[in-house]
Amino acid sequence: VIENYQKIISNIKNKSKNSEIIIQTILPVNENNIKSINKNIVEINKKLKEIAKQENLLFIELHDLYLDK
């Protein structure tokens, strides 16, 4: 997943230099259906945040807003 994000970002930067790239976190899923996927989502979101910082991109954190309280 992360490798694909990096390829997409690179392609956008190369082909559309004036575009603003915004990365948004992956939202949580209902754990009743899939037990382990939210752990993977959290890890991917951490890596996406790192990529956004390295590439100087806007990063939008929505994951935490959608967690069951």
Side-chain angles (χ1 to χ4, degrees):
V1 172
I2 295 301
E3 187 175 300
N4 288 333
Y5 267 91
Q6 291 172 320
K7 287 178 185 178
I8 292 167
I9 292 166
S10 178
N11 283 334
I12 293 170
K13 283 186 166 188
N14 289 330
K15 295 179 182 178
S16 183
K17 298 183 188 302
N18 293 326
S19 294
E20 181 178 7
I21 303 171
I22 301 169
I23 298 179
Q24 174 188 309
T25 52
I26 300 170
L27 300 178
V29 296
N30 183 340
E31 283 195 40
N32 293 330
N33 296 329
I34 305 171
K35 293 278 184 194
S36 64
I37 196 161
N38 278 328
K39 289 180 186 177
N40 292 336
I41 290 172
V42 169
E43 291 305 312
I44 292 169
N45 284 340
K46 286 179 186 177
K47 292 176 184 174
L48 291 177
K49 187 173 185 177
E50 290 174 16
I51 290 171
K53 185 175 181 179
Q54 291 169 356
E55 297 287 337
N56 198 30
L57 305 175
L58 181 60
F59 182 78
I60 300 175
E61 170 61 70
L62 293 177
H63 179 272
D64 293 347
L65 296 175
Y66 285 86
L67 290 174
D68 291 337
K69 302 288 178 183

